[in-house]
Structure formats: structure tokens, C-alpha cells
Amino acid sequence: GGAALDLAQLDRWYRRHDDTAPTLVNMYGITETTVHVTALTLNRELASTAAASLIGEPLPALDLHILDSRLHPVPPGVTGELYVSGAQLSRGYLHRPALTATRFVADPHGRPGARLYRTGDLARRTRRGDVEYLGRSDFQVQLRGFRVELGEIEAVLLRSPGVARAVVLVHHDDRTGAERLVGYVVPETGAVLDGPAILARAAGDLAAYMVPATLMVLDELPITATGKFDRRALPAPDFAARTQPARAPADPRETRLVELFGDVLGLDTVGVDDSFFALGGDSIMSIQLVSRAKALGLELTPRQVFEHKTAAALAAVAGTAATPVVLDELPGGAVGAMPLPPIVHWALARGGRLDRYSQAVLLRLPTDLDHATVTALLQALLDRHDMLRARLVPDPTGPAGYRLHTDPPGAVDAATVIHRVPVTSAADTDDFFALADTERDAAADRLEPTAGRVGVQ
């Protein structure tokens, strides 16, 4: 039963039984259809040759639809969301009209008054016409600019010998702000799992950004009082944990790389044989590592970080970085008049006002950070980055009728761009986010490129 059919485990089950093995049926179902939707008879050939979680054909009283966000059918091979219709479909949720309206929608392809149930599951139809289950749509996440389907990663982990169950989620590190994929696996009875080996096997089937940063082996997955899987009760990963003492670096190169691992990942202790990614590194952090290594005289590429992973292995392949050439500052530095950069010229040429053009980010600061320290930090930022002191100056002879002028360091007082707002509500409440939206909108109103108010607000 269930939607996600683990063919690797099914194949192993058939191999343990002779030809008298009982007939098995995989049934995909949801409560709203009381309770099954499709059925698929299983056999040895399907278990050994199929490469996906197949769920079969709908029962006689139901129809299955794979639709896009506009409720249009998707072509074979294209992922869509599963919808169910038919006489077996329930009428809605008792005394919950709002929830009913979000899940039971009008069927644009059926008779007048017909409805579809939106399952929230993703699927696609193969060229042979089989329906392949791909996981939950609400388990699709955005991670460092990539769209990641957690169910796809879980399916790959389940292919490893001895893995009975697998779960993947995104872990947010409140201290560093980093988001990393974390995998949890439960072994089959009597099996002993090797986490690093499972991840190494998964790396052969997944894109680098889809490989979990670490893998935790659990005796069982947590469940709620009603017997359902409880994702929120999964233990938090410890990226600094190790099963054996860390080996000390053997030469200056290894020493520098171990120190860089610790700096980039925010760890106090790193061994030369520790994987950068098992410790919590990701593709963005690998670029930071490469940049910092170059500043210390070590030439690496992000590809080498992914391939070699440990400080010991990277020390063996790292080249010697050329001494960076530091150009003398030109007279006047970056202060004074300058032509419009192409992006500014493009924005002005589009027409309209630029006063409210902005980008925003929410930062978590230490609770003991005082006003004087914040002011000093922002003043250093404004003095260091010339474009934060730039003004848009009207110039009839210039492109788009403007030019840029940057004022000298110290011309912008950090105290004038800090706006403190007292907050009495908790940071995860609707009141907090409503206040944040209001203040962000007010900050955009305070921007004024012609007066030089284009920097930190």
C-alpha cells in the first residue's frame, strides 16, 4: 500500500521468495476517495526492470488527471499535479468550507458541476502510459536558486542496499543562516548502514546541489500520537560530530585548508580527512573556500572541492596561486563624476521613477548589539563602498540625461540612514511580518537617488 513504491526493496523481497510468492498489489489512495484511487499488480519482472514508483490505473469509479497550474493536461513525461474525479470522490470536509474550496475545485473538463480533488501529489505519465508517482508538491523546495524535489532524493537514498526508509529535509542553521539538505535513513532488519557510503552512492545519481550535506541513521522515524510520520520531531543534525578523532594536518598546506574549512563552515574543530560537504558545506560555500584559499596562495577550483572534498585531498591537488597584483589607487580614488553604468542607463531609459527601486534582506543580529556598534559598522560600510555614496546628477549632455557623482568617504553619516522600529510581537507572528512589510515600504519611500540616499536604510 501507499504511494511511494520502493522497487529496489520489492526486487530484494522477490529474490528472497520462490515462485510461490503471493500476488502483491500496490494501491495509491487518499482519504478523500475512501480510500483507494489506483491499483497496480506487482510481479518479479516489474520489480527488476522498472525504474520509478508506479501506481497503476484508477479504480472503475474514479478518473485520474495530471494537470499543470492552470488545470490543463500535461504531455507524457512532463510533471504535473495529480487530480482525482468521479463518483467515489467525497463531497468535502465537514464544517470546513474554506479548506473544501481549496482542495475540491471545479472540473473544467467535466460535466457542469463536476469537481476535481487536488491531491498535492506530483506525477507524470510515461511513454508506455504508466503513471509515475514523484512525491508531494509541498516537498518541493528552493535551495540556493535551485528547485529541489525532496522526494526524488529520498527515492535515490532508498536504492542503497539495506535502507528501509528515507526522509530528506532542509535544515536552516540559525547561527550561520546556511540552508543544507539533511537525510535520515532507517535500516532494514539486521542491516548496518554506512552513511558516507550511501551519500557517495547517491552522488552518482544526483546533481551536486541535491546531495545531502549529512546523513543520520535512525532506528525508526518519529511518529505522532495518531501514528503519522512527524517531520518536526526529527533530530537536528550535528555537522561537527565525528565517529573517530580528527587527524591533525601534516604540512602547511593541510594546515591552511583545515583552518579555511573551519572559517567558512563556522566550526571549531576540523580534521584533514573530514569532507567539506559532510560538515555542512555547499556549492556557495565552496566558492568562498576557493576565493579564500587563493588569497593564501593556494589555487583551487570549485570542481576540485566537489571531487576531492577533504583538506588532505585538496592539499595534494592544489596549485600555487600567483601573487595578486594590487593596483595603485588612482588620483582621487572613485570620488567625483563618472559615466552611467550600463544597468543604470538601461533603467533610466525604461522611463518612470527610480526612487523606490530597492532590494531587501532580513538579518538576524546578536541580542547584545548596541546602537553605537551598528552605527560604526554601517559607517565603515558606507566609507568603504563608493557606490553607496553615489548621487544621480541631472546632465543634459549625458546618456538618459544623468550622470553619477560619488562623494568622498565620510560624506554620508551612517546615523542618518538607521531607522529603529520598536517591536513588541514575536518574530514569527503575523503582526511582526505585517509591521516588517509596513516599515520596508516606508524605507523605500526614504530612498532618493538624486540626494544620494541610495545605500543602506
Side-chain angles (χ1 to χ4, degrees), residues 133-148:
Y133 175 85
L134 298 174
R136 292 287 299 170
S137 62
D138 49 4
F139 292 158
Q140 189 179 82
V141 299
Q142 288 286 127
L143 185 67
R144 298 186 296 278
F146 295 101
R147 182 172 295 176
V148 176

Side-chain angles (χ1 to χ4, degrees), residues 57 230 245 288-289 303 396 418 420 456:
E57 292 300 320
D230 188 358
Q288 296 175 3
L289 180 72
R303 182 183 182 89
I418 296 176
R420 187 176 186 275
V456 182

Side-chain angles (χ1 to χ4, degrees), residues 32-246:
E32 290 78 5
T33 61
T34 58
V35 66
H36 293 117
V37 177
T38 67
L40 174 69
T41 301
L42 306 177
N43 54 47
R44 294 178 183 273
E45 180 183 2
L46 183 145
S48 61
T49 60
S53 179
L54 305 179
I55 60 176
E57 292 300 320
L59 302 181
L62 293 170
D63 289 308
L64 200 63
H65 313 268
I66 305 178
L67 309 177
D68 62 16
S69 59
R70 297 179 297 171
L71 299 183
H72 292 169
V74 299
V78 176
T79 299
E81 187 169 353
L82 274 175
Y83 288 78
V84 181
S85 65
Q88 194 173 315
L89 191 64
S90 60
R91 290 181 291 177
Y93 301 105
L94 185 63
H95 304 315
R96 302 187 70 181
L99 180 60
T100 297
T102 62
R103 308 305 296 187
F104 292 82
V105 299
D107 183 357
H109 312 288
R111 67 184 186 282
R115 293 181 304 161
L116 296 169
Y117 176 73
R118 181 183 181 186
T119 68
D121 291 328
L122 298 175
R124 63 188 172 196
R125 195 172 291 277
T126 67
R127 293 181 179 179
R128 296 175 50 187
D130 299 319
V131 177
E132 178 184 346
Y133 175 85
L134 298 174
R136 292 287 299 170
S137 62
D138 49 4
F139 292 158
Q140 189 179 82
V141 299
Q142 288 286 127
L143 185 67
R144 298 186 296 278
F146 295 101
R147 182 172 295 176
V148 176
E149 174 55 59
L150 300 181
E152 183 177 352
I153 304 174
E154 293 169 357
V156 171
L157 295 178
L158 282 169
R159 295 175 196 161
S160 293
V163 176
R165 300 192 67 184
V167 173
V168 178
L169 52 76
V170 178
H171 176 264
H172 180 83
D173 191 325
D174 291 333
R175 183 170 60 89
T176 65
E179 289 188 328
R180 303 160 181 165
L181 291 173
V182 177
Y184 300 84
V185 292
V186 175
E188 294 179 342
T189 303
V192 178
L193 300 182
D194 182 349
I198 294 174
L199 288 180
R201 179 186 177 112
D205 296 326
L206 296 170
Y209 62 85
M210 297 177 68
V211 178
T214 190
L215 195 68
M216 301 184 68
V217 180
L218 307 178
D219 293 333
E220 58 185 14
L221 296 178
I223 59 174
T224 64
T226 59
K228 294 185 176 181
F229 169 50
D230 188 358
R231 282 180 173 262
R232 292 177 296 181
L234 288 168
D238 182 2
F239 293 106
R242 62 178 68 255
T243 58
Q244 57 186 3

Side-chain angles (χ1 to χ4, degrees), residues 2 50 236 251 349 388 434 439 448:
D251 57 48
L388 296 180
E439 291 300 327
E448 191 175 350

Side-chain angles (χ1 to χ4, degrees), residues 124-456:
R124 63 188 172 196
R125 195 172 291 277
T126 67
R127 293 181 179 179
R128 296 175 50 187
D130 299 319
V131 177
E132 178 184 346
Y133 175 85
L134 298 174
R136 292 287 299 170
S137 62
D138 49 4
F139 292 158
Q140 189 179 82
V141 299
Q142 288 286 127
L143 185 67
R144 298 186 296 278
F146 295 101
R147 182 172 295 176
V148 176
E149 174 55 59
L150 300 181
E152 183 177 352
I153 304 174
E154 293 169 357
V156 171
L157 295 178
L158 282 169
R159 295 175 196 161
S160 293
V163 176
R165 300 192 67 184
V167 173
V168 178
L169 52 76
V170 178
H171 176 264
H172 180 83
D173 191 325
D174 291 333
R175 183 170 60 89
T176 65
E179 289 188 328
R180 303 160 181 165
L181 291 173
V182 177
Y184 300 84
V185 292
V186 175
E188 294 179 342
T189 303
V192 178
L193 300 182
D194 182 349
I198 294 174
L199 288 180
R201 179 186 177 112
D205 296 326
L206 296 170
Y209 62 85
M210 297 177 68
V211 178
T214 190
L215 195 68
M216 301 184 68
V217 180
L218 307 178
D219 293 333
E220 58 185 14
L221 296 178
I223 59 174
T224 64
T226 59
K228 294 185 176 181
F229 169 50
D230 188 358
R231 282 180 173 262
R232 292 177 296 181
L234 288 168
D238 182 2
F239 293 106
R242 62 178 68 255
T243 58
Q244 57 186 3
R247 184 168 69 86
D251 57 48
R253 281 190 164 207
E254 291 187 351
T255 300
R256 276 178 281 178
L257 285 168
V258 164
E259 292 173 350
L260 285 177
F261 273 35
D263 291 342
V264 172
L265 301 174
L267 300 176
D268 296 327
T269 304
V270 175
V272 295
D273 299 315
D274 292 337
S275 167
F276 180 76
F277 299 99
L279 293 174
D282 55 38
S283 58
I284 301 300
M285 292 179 176
S286 71
I287 296 174
Q288 296 175 3
L289 180 72
V290 169
S291 177
R292 296 189 189 188
K294 186 174 183 179
L296 295 178
L298 296 177
E299 188 76 45
L300 290 171
T301 65
R303 182 183 182 89
Q304 287 176 320
V305 178
F306 274 98
E307 291 178 345
H308 299 281
K309 299 181 178 64
T310 69
L314 288 171
V317 299
T320 301
T323 303
V325 177
V326 180
L327 299 177
D328 293 333
E329 187 72 54
L330 296 173
V335 175
M338 61 180 293
L340 293 179
I343 186 66
V344 179
H345 184 277
W346 170 84
L348 290 170
R350 293 179 69 244
R353 299 178 56 187
L354 294 181
D355 293 7
R356 292 176 53 82
Y357 180 79
S358 62
Q359 292 178 310
V361 62
L362 176 65
L363 302 177
R364 297 179 181 271
L365 302 178
T367 55
D368 59 349
L369 193 63
D370 57 26
H371 186 272
T373 303
V374 171
T375 304
L377 287 171
L378 286 180
Q379 190 65 62
L381 185 69
L382 289 165
D383 292 344
R384 176 67 178 83
H385 295 282
D386 304 304
M387 289 306 296
L388 296 180
R389 306 188 306 276
R391 288 184 288 118
L392 198 59
V393 179
D395 182 359
T397 65
Y402 286 93
R403 60 180 169 82
L404 282 179
H405 187 283
T406 53
D407 295 326
V412 180
D413 184 1
T416 65
V417 298
I418 296 176
H419 187 69
R420 187 176 186 275
V421 180
V423 178
T424 57
S425 56
D428 58 350
T429 63
D430 292 340
D431 289 341
F432 171 81
F433 289 110
L435 177 62
D437 287 339
T438 299
E439 291 300 327
R440 182 176 55 195
D441 193 59
D445 283 335
R446 292 192 292 271
L447 295 174
E448 191 175 350
T450 55
R453 288 193 287 271
V454 298
V456 182

